[in-house]
Amino acid sequence: MSDLANYDPDIYNLIEKERLRQVNGLELIASENVVSKSVLEAVGSILTNKYAEGYPGKRYYGGCEFHDQIEDLARNRLCELFGAEHANVQAVSGSQANQAVYFAFMQNGDKMMSQDLAQGGHLSHGSPVNITGKWYSVSHYGVDKETETLDYAQIAEQARKEKPKMIVCGASAYPRTIDFKAFKEIADEVGAYCMADVAHIAGLIAGGQHPTSVGVTDITTTTTHKTLRGPRGGAIMCGSENAVAIDKSVFPGMQGGPLMHVIAGKAVCFREALTPDFKEYAKQIVKNSQAMAEVLISEGLDLVSGGTDNHLILLDLTNLATNGSHLTGLEAENFLGEAGITVNKNTIPREKLSPFVTSGLRIGTPAVTSRGMKEEEMKQIGHWIAAVLKDVCKDKGSKKAITEVRAEVEALASGFTLYPEVR
Ligand code: DSN
């Protein structure tokens, strides 16, 4: 029996239930993934026992000689992966990475421009409910009403009017390619810093499936656990001219002791992402997303912007009528969850409902691609999603499609195990 099962059966059993949920279901949350056993091993290692405040060669604690080497490997591999001049791997999350960048280059009250959360942006890009929205003056840009894509001419016009200190680009629910060069040109014209948050698409950039922001914008932030398939955490990349400011802002500006076990996991993830296999993986994520998008369109469902260039699809549910109203994102998330398909409700452009209800659904392919699924499985899943949504639109109490799809989902999942050696 494991130590944990023996000592704390409550926690052990809940972890076991979660393992079975992951094994038997289909994880289609666009920001989630399945890490390798090597990453799991590093993150679960005895490195968690140590304080290592500071940076390699300049720590505030003794006994950091191996931690220095681990952090150097992580930094160097991240630089190699993205062609960056400088990397900081200590941010514990994407939000903290973003805050560190703002803290490095802006004062309280300075103006920033960023994509509206309700139109695909992120909480830490100046949402009024987030510290960034309270601390800085924020002007949001959105997507064009017709195309539901970014309109760079409109953004440039807004930047000329607003004269922000920083322009943030990058999104958490935007299915199309982002033109980082266009953002940098706009920022240069108005004398602003340009920060790209590539958390969602970092793995696609590393795998050559999306144009890079590194070496284009002044600073790039990312998480390491989405398409990059590493442990939960953040990282920052920049040119050498901004290295000191960024490092100081992360520590001691924002954080104390770094999570060295997670930094080791990041180093392993970057090594994996440097392999030719990872390039194939990134390519497959996009192929999978596009295969599923085609099926959803053929089933008559509406996709924000009409399709996808990346790892995610944003379904607009406003045409799925149920008794005079439309199916909400919350309902769709719950019904699909019952069928073993995990997705998340999401706001869409022109959203009329609250962020806890929403009119949209975000669907992503990174995790199922990590399990080895390809276009055929994606098409099947696309039909199942449509079947469940259409059935509950006719009758919200119906369990017919949910029950049938649940059985199919479990059968499919059993052929694509998460960790074959863990039963
Ligand atoms: N919450 C993440 C996402 O789902 O996109 C971003 O931080």
Side-chain angles (χ1 to χ4, degrees):
M1 196 186 228
S2 81
D3 283 348
L4 184 60
N6 195 29
Y7 178 70
D8 193 340
D10 296 335
I11 290 296
Y12 177 87
N13 288 331
L14 287 168
I15 294 175
E16 186 55 14
K17 282 184 183 165
E18 169 59 10
R19 184 182 73 79
L20 291 173
R21 188 194 69 81
Q22 291 188 22
V23 164
N24 295 328
L26 296 174
E27 206 70 30
L28 291 174
I29 291 185
S31 50
E32 294 185 7
N33 213 325
V34 181
V35 301
S36 68
K37 287 293 299 287
S38 306
V39 168
L40 271 187
E41 194 177 329
V43 175
S45 72
I46 44 84
L47 296 174
T48 195
N49 294 340
K50 187 84 189 88
Y51 253 120
E53 276 181 31
Y55 289 102
K58 281 181 249 155
R59 303 284 189 186
Y60 290 80
Y61 291 82
C64 289
E65 55 271 32
F66 305 116
H67 294 270
D68 281 3
Q69 293 176 51
I70 288 166
E71 188 166 345
D72 272 337
L73 278 171
R75 296 196 296 191
N76 293 340
R77 287 176 186 172
L78 185 58
C79 285
E80 185 184 347
L81 185 59
F82 288 95
E85 288 178 6
H86 180 73
N88 184 306
V89 293
Q90 292 196 0
V92 299
S93 70
S95 293
Q96 295 242 268
N98 291 344
Q99 284 175 34
V101 175
Y102 307 148
F103 187 50
F105 301 109
M106 291 197 289
Q107 303 297 314
N108 185 5
D110 276 351
K111 184 171 281 182
M112 59 185 272
M113 252 178 79
S114 59
Q115 190 164 338
D116 195 343
L117 174 62
Q119 297 193 40
H122 189 256
L123 198 62
S124 66
H125 295 179
S127 160
V129 295
N130 186 261
I131 185 171
T132 55
K134 297 186 192 300
W135 207 249
Y136 304 108
S137 158
V138 183
S139 170
H140 283 308
Y141 56 84
V143 293
D144 179 74
K145 284 191 177 55
E146 294 305 314
T147 63
E148 298 178 318
T149 60
L150 293 168
D151 178 335
Y152 298 94
Q154 270 179 29
I155 295 167
E157 206 177 300
Q158 186 174 341
R160 283 179 207 118
K161 196 167 125 243
E162 299 286 352
K163 298 188 176 41
K165 184 93 179 273
M166 182 173 291
I167 297 181
V168 177
C169 47
S172 56
Y174 185 67
R176 294 301 186 176
T177 299
I178 297 173
D179 187 343
F180 295 119
K181 285 194 178 135
F183 272 109
K184 174 64 172 154
E185 279 168 22
I186 295 168
D188 282 349
E189 186 190 325
V190 300
Y193 285 102
C194 190
M195 180 193 107
D197 176 348
V198 302
H200 264 263
I201 53 172
L204 304 186
I205 294 175
Q209 298 302 306
H210 189 291
T212 189
S213 60
V214 177
V216 177
T217 60
D218 301 302
I219 306 112
T220 293
T221 62
T222 187
T223 54
T224 45
H225 51 273
K226 299 188 176 87
T227 48
L228 207 46
R229 210 167 64 186
R232 310 196 71 76
I236 306 174
M237 290 168 274
C238 61
S240 44
E241 71 283 7
N242 291 319
V244 171
I246 288 295
D247 282 354
K248 267 191 183 162
S249 190
V250 174
F251 173 84
M254 292 284 307
Q255 299 181 179
L259 307 181
M260 291 307 302
H261 54 307
V262 179
I263 289 177
K266 289 174 184 173
V268 177
C269 148
F270 303 148
R271 182 187 174 117
E272 290 171 351
L274 280 160
T275 61
D277 279 358
F278 191 86
K279 288 196 170 37
E280 286 307 310
Y281 166 67
K283 201 183 283 179
Q284 192 64 48
I285 291 178
V286 178
K287 279 191 199 167
N288 281 354
S289 170
Q290 292 179 336
M292 194 187 294
E294 261 180 47
V295 164
L296 293 169
I297 291 167
S298 76
E299 288 274 6
L301 298 176
D302 286 340
L303 273 59
V304 170
S305 83
T308 179
D309 301 328
N310 60 23
H311 63 301
L312 72 84
I313 293 161
L314 198 53
L315 271 187
D316 177 339
L317 304 172
T318 52
N319 288 332
L320 284 179
T322 61
N323 278 340
S325 60
H326 69 76
L327 191 71
T328 67
L330 177 62
E331 290 168 328
E333 176 188 303
N334 288 336
F335 288 130
L336 287 168
E338 282 183 57
I341 297 175
T342 309
V343 289
N344 69 277
K345 58 186 170 291
N346 212 100
T347 53
I348 54 169
R350 296 188 302 283
E351 183 60 70
K352 293 200 173 61
L353 303 177
S354 85
F356 200 71
V357 179
T358 82
S359 308
L361 208 57
R362 194 181 62 164
I363 303 172
T365 54
V368 285
T369 308
S370 290
R371 289 179 82 166
M373 295 186 196
K374 297 213 160 77
E375 288 96 316
E376 279 317 301
E377 288 78 33
M378 296 306 115
K379 288 180 192 166
Q380 190 58 74
I381 297 168
H383 287 301
W384 291 338
I385 290 173
V388 169
L389 297 185
K390 286 177 186 177
D391 190 46
V392 296
C393 273
K394 277 189 252 151
D395 171 9
K396 282 194 188 161
S398 172
K399 296 289 170 210
K400 186 174 178 299
I402 290 174
T403 310
E404 285 167 8
V405 168
R406 171 110 216 168
E408 302 258 35
V409 162
E410 287 187 7
L412 177 68
S414 68
F416 295 88
T417 46
L418 273 190
Y419 300 105
E421 61 280 33
V422 184
R423 303 305 309 176

